[in-house]
Amino acid sequence: MTERKIRTRFAPSPTGYMHVGNLRTALYAYLTARANNGKFLLRIEDTDQSRQVDGAIDIIYNTLKETNLLWDEGPDIGGDYGPYIQSERKGMYKQYVDQLIESGHAYRCFCTKERLEEVNKIKTASGQPTGYDNHCRNLSKEEIEANLAAGVPYVVRQRIPEGKTSFNDMVYGVIEVDNSTLDDQILVKQDGMPTYNFANVIDDHLMEINPVIRGSEYLASTPKYNLLYEAFGWDIPDYVHCPPVMKDSQHKLSKRNGDASYEDLIAAGYLKDAVLNYIALLGWSPKGEQEKFTLEELVKEFDPHNISKSPAIFDMDKLRYLNAEYIRDMSVEEFLETAKPYIAQTVKSECDLKLLATVLQKRCEVLSDIPEQVDFIDALPDYDTALFENKKMKTNKENSKQMLGEVLPVLEAIEEKDWNMDNIHTKLFELIAKLEVKNGLVLFPLRVAVSGKAFTPGGGVELAAILGKERTIDRIKTAIEKL
């Protein structure tokens, strides 16, 4: 990067949910600023009012707050920083438009929508690429004044010069384009609102943004942006264009295709720290083998030079694995507090929640797994006795009934006040030793009897302790009757 102070920005459009790629751009911009003692800004680019979605700004704002990607300046909103809102800066852009028109780097275009559509029809019919035909590019001063006097609506377009434009990107290297491939893009719409392509250049300059970090979809527009910088005589910023995040090798992530947004992932039971960690690894490689990073560790490790130009594939299995690692690293108390809303979806009765959390934490990968894992606690499902057949444990219906008959009086003999996992474990293993059988022959039927399920978050001893004496005894009796 050039020897200029580091000021990065995240500049989303408020058009709906927080795309995973959007959040990754925000994260990379944040990390670059923090790693270089720079500033990180939030700017809402809402110049296309027709695409704005109600509540979208709040989604952006809340997501950054939730993930601790806190920006450093902006309008004061009661002692806190609000984002810069581009539409609120509308009046500021006019002087720059006038300057470009005066210097000949921009011009007024009075073409109607109907004319532009007709031009594109003719081009399509003749096999030419569609696009503006520069009809108003060389109108005389008199024609322009006549149109203005008559109140003819117009847009302002950038006048692309002849020649070539090149720039260096930190990820993609040197890129050069022939200016003849660039269209005279609209800078200001008929309603006087600047387009994104114009306002983002002005704002990036005024906010002293360097480097500009954004998605690779803006690579094609960057030469036009640089021509604007040159027209104003401004320094061109460094660029970091991030590769796309893909669903697979052929398809980008898309909400329309049902791909998860950040909000969807959180709602599905993924932890925000795990999501942020995983997103950091989408297209960026740390120097060593470490993959699990706190935000503070990412700040120390992150270097935009290590961003790959290859598209990043969003692997849900990898995210799930990483999320499980975060769950395992929690204290039992932290996990219980996090898991409570998911437990409460199906468990309404009293049980040993701390023990339940201890059991779940070892077997839970995503919080949304929990309701199905604990749905047997309140009510025993109507299960098939075929569940007692297990070749590995060498259990069948007959010996399961026999073992449960041995277990029942042992557990009934434990006083209510002494009903805990340690005592249950001691008494059952004394029974196993007395019967001279393998553990599974006793414990597997117990687990099935008290849960009615093939897969549970814990073994028979743990489940009995969680359920309490009364429910455990009742369910063992039910199993004996069924068998």
Side-chain angles (χ1 to χ4, degrees), residues 87-105:
S87 61
E88 294 176 0
R89 299 159 61 85
K90 175 181 174 182
M92 181 201 65
Y93 302 109
K94 185 178 185 304
Q95 60 180 306
Y96 298 102
V97 177
D98 293 343
Q99 185 178 334
L100 288 178
I101 293 174
E102 183 66 27
S103 65
H105 292 96

Side-chain angles (χ1 to χ4, degrees), residues 268-328:
Y270 289 89
L271 302 172
K272 64 179 179 64
D273 291 339
V275 173
L276 203 66
N277 188 160
Y278 180 65
I279 287 175
L281 301 175
L282 289 174
W284 168 76
S285 300
K287 296 183 182 72
E289 298 298 316
Q290 181 180 349
E291 287 191 320
K292 189 168 180 289
F293 294 92
T294 64
L295 187 58
E296 292 75 19
E297 289 171 333
L298 284 171
V299 168
K300 294 176 182 177
E301 183 76 16
F302 186 76
D303 183 345
H305 290 91
N306 292 338
I307 297 174
S308 170
K309 66 176 69 174
S310 301
I313 305 297
F314 192 91
D315 185 341
M316 287 298 297
D317 290 337
K318 181 69 178 291
L319 173 59
R320 189 178 181 91
Y321 166 80
L322 189 61
N323 197 74
E325 291 294 301
Y326 271 82
I327 285 176
R328 306 287 181 270

Side-chain angles (χ1 to χ4, degrees), residues 252-396:
K252 287 186 178 182
L253 287 178
S254 169
K255 183 73 169 179
R256 283 176 292 183
N257 294 333
D259 299 320
S261 67
Y262 169 78
E263 291 176 292
D264 293 332
L265 293 173
I266 299 304
Y270 289 89
L271 302 172
K272 64 179 179 64
D273 291 339
V275 173
L276 203 66
N277 188 160
Y278 180 65
I279 287 175
L281 301 175
L282 289 174
W284 168 76
S285 300
K287 296 183 182 72
E289 298 298 316
Q290 181 180 349
E291 287 191 320
K292 189 168 180 289
F293 294 92
T294 64
L295 187 58
E296 292 75 19
E297 289 171 333
L298 284 171
V299 168
K300 294 176 182 177
E301 183 76 16
F302 186 76
D303 183 345
H305 290 91
N306 292 338
I307 297 174
S308 170
K309 66 176 69 174
S310 301
I313 305 297
F314 192 91
D315 185 341
M316 287 298 297
D317 290 337
K318 181 69 178 291
L319 173 59
R320 189 178 181 91
Y321 166 80
L322 189 61
N323 197 74
E325 291 294 301
Y326 271 82
I327 285 176
R328 306 287 181 270
D329 286 346
M330 287 176 152
S331 68
V332 174
E333 290 75 18
E334 286 175 325
F335 176 72
L336 175 57
E337 198 59 34
T338 304
K340 270 182 180 178
Y342 295 87
I343 295 173
Q345 288 180 29
T346 55
V347 179
K348 310 299 181 185
S349 59
E350 287 188 15
C351 67
D352 188 334
L353 286 177
K354 186 170 183 180
L355 178 56
L356 178 59
T358 303
V359 170
L360 285 170
Q361 188 175 10
K362 300 172 185 175
R363 297 164 177 83
C364 174
E365 294 183 337
V366 180
L367 296 172
S368 55
D369 293 342
I370 292 174
E372 187 177 359
Q373 290 181 324
V374 300
D375 59 2
F376 67 92
I377 292 177
D378 280 8
L380 185 67
D382 184 18
Y383 61 91
D384 191 321
T385 54
L387 287 178
F388 289 96
E389 306 274 355
N390 189 299
K391 290 182 180 179
K392 183 179 178 182
M393 299 294 179
K394 296 183 179 180
T395 63
N396 54 45

Side-chain angles (χ1 to χ4, degrees), residues 195-232:
T195 61
Y196 164 83
N197 289 322
F198 180 56
N200 94 90
V201 170
I202 305 301
D203 283 339
D204 281 347
H205 170 73
L206 295 178
M207 295 178 182
E208 302 179 83
I209 301 301
N210 188 65
V212 169
I213 301 174
R214 59 190 174 211
S216 60
E217 64 268 24
Y218 293 104
L219 273 171
S221 299
T222 299
K224 291 187 279 191
Y225 302 156
N226 286 353
L227 288 170
L228 288 173
Y229 280 107
E230 291 174 356
F232 287 117

Side-chain angles (χ1 to χ4, degrees), residues 164-178:
K164 296 182 178 181
T165 300
S166 66
F167 66 96
N168 182 61
D169 182 78
M170 201 174 297
V171 176
Y172 291 89
V174 176
I175 296 174
E176 182 177 78
V177 300
D178 193 309

